[in-house]
Amino acid sequence: MEQEIQELPESQVLTPGSPVSNDGYQVRLEIFEGPLDLLLFLIRKKKIDIHDIPIAVITRDYLEYLERKEQINLDREAEFLLIAALLIYIKSQMLLPREQEALQADDPRQILVDRLLEFQKVKVACSLLREKEEDQLLRWKRTFLPPVARPEEAELLEVSLYDLAETFFLLMKKRERENLQVIRGKDVSVEEKMKEMVGYLKSRGSMDFLEYFSSQETLEEALVSFFCLLELVKNHLVVAVQEQLFQTIRVWLRRPRTQPHGHSHE
Amino acid sequence: MNEQLKAILEALIFISQEPLTLNKIKEVLEEVPEDELQAALEALLADYAADSRGIQVIQSAGGYLFTTKPEHDQWIRRLLQIEKKTKLSSAALETLSIIAYHQPITQAEISAIRGVDSTYCLKTLLQKKLIKIVGRKKAPGNPLVYRTSERFLQYFGLNSLEDLPREEEIAKILEEEKQAIS
Amino acid sequence: MNEQLKAILEALIFISQEPLTLNKIKEVLEEVPEDELQAALEALLADYAADSRGIQVIQSAGGYLFTTKPEHDQWIRRLLQIEKKTKLSSAALETLSIIAYHQPITQAEISAIRGVDSTYCLKTLLQKKLIKIVGRKKAPGNPLVYRTSERFLQYFGLNSLEDLPREEEIAKILEEEKQAIS
C-alpha cells in the first residue's frame, strides 16, 4: 500500500476537501514530497489566496506539522527545516515597522510566492501527465519479434555473457529458494543435452530459455543446459537475444550464412 | 487507393517494436511517391479507427505503433499473468515533469524548484531511460545537464514535446481549482 | 455475433508471443460460453482472411498467431535492416563506453576488460564511425589503437571528452539512497 500513500499529496492538492484533509491530524509529514507540497496543502486547507499569505498563521501551522514528528531525520527533513527558517525570516521582516507603503516588489513574501506558483504549475502538469501515463500503461505493445522476422538478421540486443551469467545466478537463487537443491543421480552428458536443445530449437523455432531452464527435472540437468547454451552461443550455433535486462532470453538456431551479408544500401 | 500499399504499411507497423516514423517508411518504400504513401497511411488509420477492432494504431514519438486498447487491459493481464504495470512514484513524476518543461536543466535547478534533493529520482529516471544526460552547463562546477528522451515521449504517448500540456491549459486548471475552493 | 468478444480475441492473439490455443483462451475468458467463443473466433478469422490485409492469422502448434504475409517479406527485411543500422547492440555500447573512458586503447585491452572478444563490436563501431583507428601501439604485435571520433561527440552532444560524466558523478547518481523514501 506504499504507493497509495505516495499518491496522497497529489490528490489532496487537486481535490481540496478530501477525507484526509478534513482530519488534519491524520496527515503525517511523510506523505508530503517536500516542504512546498506541505505549504501548498496548508494554503489549500485554509482557502488562502496564494498572493496574500497570512504568514504568521501559515508559519504556525507549518511548524505544528514539524513538531508532530518526534524525531527530525536531518537527511530527509532538512529541506522542511530550511523552508521553516525562510517562513520565520519572512515573518520577522513583516513585523518590522515600515516607513511608507511597501512596494509590492519589496514584499518579503514574494520569493516564497514565486516558488509556490511555479511548484503549483508542476503539480498540475504532473496530474495531466499521470492521466496520460495511466492510459498508456493500459495499452500493451509487442515487445518481441513476430515469427516472420529472421532473428539472425534482426539481432536486437545480443546478450553479453555477463547478462547470461547474471541471469543464471538470479535463476540459481530462485531455485535455491524453491528448495530444489536435491541433486539426484542420473548423469546428464553435455553432448546429449546439446543435441536435445538443438532438436528442440529445430522443432519449435525458438526457445524461452528461462522456461526451459525451470522445466528441467533436476538442478544438475538445469545446470548442464545452461552450460550448453553458453557453448552453443560461443560456437555461433545459436543466437541468444534478451530484449530487456531481467527478461527472458530467447534462443534461435543461427542459420548458416550462404553469402556474405550485403547491405541493401549504405 | 492502393490496397496493396496499405497492406504493406500494416505489415511494417505490425513488425515494428518502436513507433515507425514516416521517414523510415519512406526509406523502406523509396520507390513509392510520398502522396501515395500518405493516402495509404490515412486509409489504414481510418480502418483501424473502427470501434470494433481489438488493436489500434497510435501516433507516438513521431511514429506509428500498434497497441491494444485500454479497456482490454484486464484480459491481457490474465493471459500473460502479469500484475498491473507500476506507475512512476510521485517524486519521480514531479522530477520528470520539471525536466520536460525546463530542459535542458541541471540537478541543482530541479531540486530548487521541487524544494527537495532530486538525485535519487534522477537515478530512477536514468535507469528507466526516460531522461538522458546531454552534456554540461557552462557554470561553476560544470554540472551535468538533463533532457527527456525518445522513450519519454513513448511512455506518455506523446508525439513530440509540443504535445506536452501547454501553459494555458495548466493555468486554466489552476483557475478552476481556485474557483472550486472559494 | 459479439463484436466486443471478437475485439478481445484480436487483442489476445496480438499480444501473445506463442500460438494462442483455444484452451488458453478459455482459461482467460472462462465466463464466456464456449460456443460464443467459437463464433467470435471464426468471425475474426474470416475478417483476417480478406486479401487486403497485411497481417494474417496462422494456425500453428495448435494455436493462433498473427504473422505478416510471405509476399511482404522483402519490405520487412528492408525495415529490419534499417532498424538494425540505427541501433547499437548492448555489446557495442559496452565496448564504446570502454573506449570512451580508456582511450587510446587496443582490442586486446578492451577484450580483457569485457571478458569477451570484442573484434566484432569494433567493426560495428568503426562502420558507424563512432570510433577511429589512430595508429599502432609500440608493443609486441604492434596492435591497432582506437579512439572515439568527432561523430561520437556529436552523437552524445558533448563538446569535448572532458564533458563525459565522471566516475564520481555517476557513482553519486547511482548510489543507493540512505533512507528508503519509497
Side-chain angles (χ1 to χ4, degrees), chain B residues 3 7-8 10 14-15 20 24 28-29 31 48 52-55 66 72 75 78-79 123 134 136 146, chain C residues 3 7-8 10 14 20 28 31 48 52-54 66 72 75 78-79 83 157 163-164 169 173 176:
Chain B
E3 283 292 321
I8 294 175
E10 191 180 16
F14 173 77
I15 214 80
L20 183 65
K24 271 193 196 150
V28 175
L29 299 163
E31 302 87 346
Y48 271 92
S52 59
R53 302 298 306 266
I55 36 181
F66 279 128
H72 295 151
W75 310 113
R78 259 206 214 173
L79 174 72
K123 173 196 166 182
V134 290
R136 287 178 188 283
Y146 300 88
Chain C
E3 282 290 322
I8 294 175
E10 191 179 16
F14 171 77
L20 187 65
V28 174
E31 300 88 344
Y48 271 91
S52 58
R53 302 297 306 268
F66 283 133
H72 297 149
W75 311 113
R78 260 206 213 174
L79 176 66
E83 305 245 285
D163 284 351
L164 277 172
E169 283 173 318
I173 291 171
E176 285 299 332

Side-chain angles (χ1 to χ4, degrees), chain C residues 165-177:
Chain C
R166 281 184 294 271
E167 216 173 322
E168 325 87 70
E169 283 173 318
I170 294 297
K172 198 181 157 232
I173 291 171
L174 293 186
E175 187 185 295
E176 285 299 332
E177 212 182 19

Side-chain angles (χ1 to χ4, degrees), chain A residues 5-251:
Chain A
I5 291 176
Q6 274 185 3
E7 278 156 32
L8 268 176
E10 220 172 71
S11 53
Q12 278 163 7
V13 169
L14 291 166
T15 53
S18 65
V20 188
S21 63
N22 283 340
D23 185 3
Y25 271 86
Q26 300 245 317
V27 181
R28 289 173 306 129
L29 190 58
E30 283 79 4
I31 67 163
F32 295 100
E33 284 301 332
L36 297 177
D37 218 14
L38 172 55
L39 265 183
L40 264 190
F41 169 73
L42 295 173
I43 287 168
R44 297 265 174 155
K45 205 175 142 201
K46 284 238 149 78
K47 302 183 178 181
I48 287 167
D49 178 5
I50 208 165
H51 294 279
D52 188 21
I53 302 171
I55 213 78
V57 177
I58 284 293
T59 305
R60 197 190 58 222
D61 287 3
Y62 185 91
L63 290 179
E64 224 171 74
Y65 269 91
L66 285 198
E67 280 160 7
R68 233 178 266 164
K69 286 220 68 177
E70 278 167 15
Q71 249 185 337
I72 295 283
N73 179 340
L74 267 185
D75 278 332
R76 168 97 169 89
E77 275 116 23
E79 288 120 347
F80 283 89
L81 296 181
L82 207 66
I83 292 293
L86 178 65
L87 284 170
I88 292 166
Y89 170 76
I90 294 172
K91 199 172 99 179
S92 70
Q93 292 292 103
M94 302 281 287
L95 288 175
L96 289 180
R98 293 195 218 182
E99 311 217 325
Q100 58 254 132
E101 268 310 289
L103 294 166
Q104 232 204 326
D106 289 343
D107 191 328
R109 296 174 296 182
Q110 197 55 44
I111 177 171
L112 189 62
V113 171
D114 288 344
R115 286 187 70 177
L116 284 171
L117 286 175
E118 179 62 40
F119 187 69
Q120 215 179 11
K121 278 196 260 170
V122 171
K123 287 306 241 185
V124 175
C126 276
S127 69
L128 292 171
L129 285 175
R130 183 68 91 193
E131 281 170 28
K132 290 183 189 294
E133 180 192 33
E134 279 164 1
D135 177 70
Q136 287 298 314
L137 288 182
L138 294 176
R139 294 175 184 277
W140 292 79
K141 292 148 197 168
R142 309 176 64 136
T143 51
F144 52 91
L145 274 177
V148 66
R150 283 139 214 246
E152 66 263 71
E153 284 174 11
E155 292 163 21
L156 274 179
L157 291 179
E158 231 178 290
V159 202
S160 73
L161 285 179
Y162 173 76
D163 290 336
L164 274 182
E166 184 180 52
T167 310
F168 172 67
F169 286 119
L170 287 175
L171 271 172
M172 294 294 293
K173 269 193 192 157
K174 212 172 118 199
R175 284 236 132 177
E176 253 170 53
R177 273 201 307 275
E178 287 166 0
N179 268 331
L180 279 170
Q181 68 277 66
V182 199
I183 299 179
R184 282 185 272 134
K186 195 190 175 188
D187 286 324
V188 194
S189 86
V190 172
E191 286 77 20
E192 269 171 44
K193 189 79 195 141
M194 228 190 270
K195 264 191 210 149
E196 186 192 310
M197 286 174 74
V198 170
Y200 182 104
L201 285 169
K202 272 188 181 149
S203 69
R204 303 220 193 174
S206 72
M207 163 195 286
D208 177 323
F209 185 68
L210 290 198
E211 212 180 279
Y212 185 82
F213 184 89
S214 337
S215 73
Q216 297 301 303
E217 243 173 68
T218 62
L219 184 58
E220 189 184 343
E221 254 188 285
L223 281 173
V224 170
S225 76
F226 177 74
F227 288 112
C228 285
L229 177 64
L230 285 185
E231 243 352 82
L232 290 168
V233 169
K234 211 172 106 195
N235 293 323
H236 298 281
L237 290 169
V238 304
V239 58
V241 170
Q242 189 179 33
E243 276 138 17
Q244 254 168 26
L245 222 54
F246 308 123
Q247 269 191 5
T248 189
I249 295 170
R250 287 206 80 77
V251 184

Side-chain angles (χ1 to χ4, degrees), chain B residues 12-171:
Chain B
L12 291 178
I13 298 174
F14 173 77
I15 214 80
S16 298
Q17 292 178 71
E18 271 167 28
L20 183 65
T21 61
L22 190 60
N23 276 340
K24 271 193 196 150
I25 296 175
K26 280 196 237 166
E27 223 178 301
V28 175
L29 299 163
E30 49 184 359
E31 302 87 346
V32 184
E34 193 173 335
D35 52 343
E36 269 189 54
L37 274 185
Q38 287 282 7
L41 197 53
E42 271 158 40
L44 183 70
L45 294 181
D47 282 4
Y48 271 92
D51 236 355
S52 59
R53 302 298 306 266
I55 36 181
Q56 285 184 319
V57 188
I58 60 162
Q59 264 187 286
S60 162
Y64 303 91
L65 189 68
F66 279 128
T67 73
T68 61
K69 290 180 173 176
E71 61 261 39
H72 295 151
D73 173 64
Q74 54 163 324
W75 310 113
I76 292 163
R77 282 193 287 110
R78 259 206 214 173
L79 174 72
L80 303 177
Q81 297 178 329
I82 294 178
E83 307 263 310
K84 252 191 191 319
K85 291 188 214 155
T86 45
K87 294 188 272 183
L88 291 173
S89 73
S90 315
L93 184 63
E94 220 175 273
T95 307
L96 187 56
S97 70
I98 291 171
I99 298 174
Y101 281 91
H102 294 269
Q103 55 187 305
I105 189 168
T106 66
Q107 196 271 117
E109 287 161 345
I110 298 165
S111 301
I113 296 176
R114 289 190 63 214
V116 218
D117 179 59
S118 304
T119 321
Y120 183 73
C121 293
L122 287 175
K123 173 196 166 182
T124 311
L125 296 172
L126 281 169
Q127 280 175 342
K128 288 184 189 284
K129 294 195 193 327
L130 293 169
I131 58 168
K132 57 189 180 184
I133 299 173
V134 290
R136 287 178 188 283
K137 190 177 175 175
K138 285 203 183 75
N142 284 320
L144 294 172
V145 164
Y146 300 88
R147 269 190 181 283
T148 53
S149 64
E150 276 282 306
R151 185 167 291 189
F152 164 80
L153 295 175
Q154 285 181 33
Y155 185 81
F156 290 100
L158 301 168
N159 212 11
S160 73
L161 287 175
E162 308 269 292
D163 279 359
L164 278 172
R166 278 189 300 270
E167 281 273 316
E168 309 91 78
E169 211 177 317
I170 292 172

